[in-house]
Amino acid sequence: QVQLVESGGGLVQAGGSLRLSCAASERTFAMGWFRQAPGKEREFVATINWSGEYTYYAASVKGRFTISRDNSKNTMYLQMNSLKPDDTAVYYCAARSSRVLSWMLHEYDDWGQGTQVTVSS
């Protein structure tokens, strides 16, 4: 089982930026970011394949968020720009035992504990 630890969350004003990190205990294959707002289901944000060559985003964040990874550090990132109050949520990173990216929650095997992102208006 891969251990995943998120960091970088916090409080930011609307229009601001944050960079989330997800450190893995070992080399991982495809990974993704998901988020869960209070009273809502966990939803897909972004995914990246094992090499970092391919990415895919939810429509709500495309053009504002950028997912990337540094396999030499076993770390994945989520650069979040032009943040909106609707982006407020706990953000989770996840890893799956496949090299192919996925936006489906149930296809991920390992999850981090989450990091809170709060965007004030």
Side-chain angles (χ1 to χ4, degrees):
Q1 186 174 5
V2 179
Q3 305 300 316
L4 302 171
V5 179
E6 301 97 335
S7 61
L11 173 64
V12 63
Q13 289 188 333
S17 298
L18 281 175
R19 187 195 195 202
L20 304 183
S21 298
C22 174
S25 59
E26 60 188 76
R27 176 69 182 269
T28 57
F29 294 106
M31 299 186 73
W33 287 99
F34 296 81
R35 66 187 182 186
Q36 187 165 17
K40 295 186 177 181
E41 295 185 350
R42 192 170 299 188
E43 65 175 9
F44 165 74
V45 175
T47 180
I48 189 167
N49 76 320
W50 70 278
S51 68
E53 181 179 4
Y54 298 105
T55 59
Y56 182 74
Y57 298 90
S60 59
V61 307
K62 191 173 184 179
R64 300 188 298 121
F65 291 9
T66 302
I67 189 172
S68 62
R69 65 190 299 166
D70 184 343
N71 287 339
S72 69
K73 298 180 179 179
N74 291 339
T75 302
M76 176 179 66
Y77 305 97
L78 185 68
Q79 178 66 44
M80 304 186 295
N81 298 329
S82 302
L83 282 162
K84 305 174 182 179
D86 284 349
D87 295 318
T88 295
V90 177
Y91 283 71
Y92 298 90
C93 69
R96 63 188 301 245
S97 54
S98 168
R99 296 186 173 189
V100 179
L101 52 79
S102 172
W103 55 90
M104 306 295 288
L105 276 74
H106 69 271
E107 293 187 348
Y108 284 83
D109 305 293
D110 301 295
W111 292 82
Q113 82 290 348
T115 185
Q116 176 70 46
V117 171
T118 303
V119 184
S120 62
S121 56

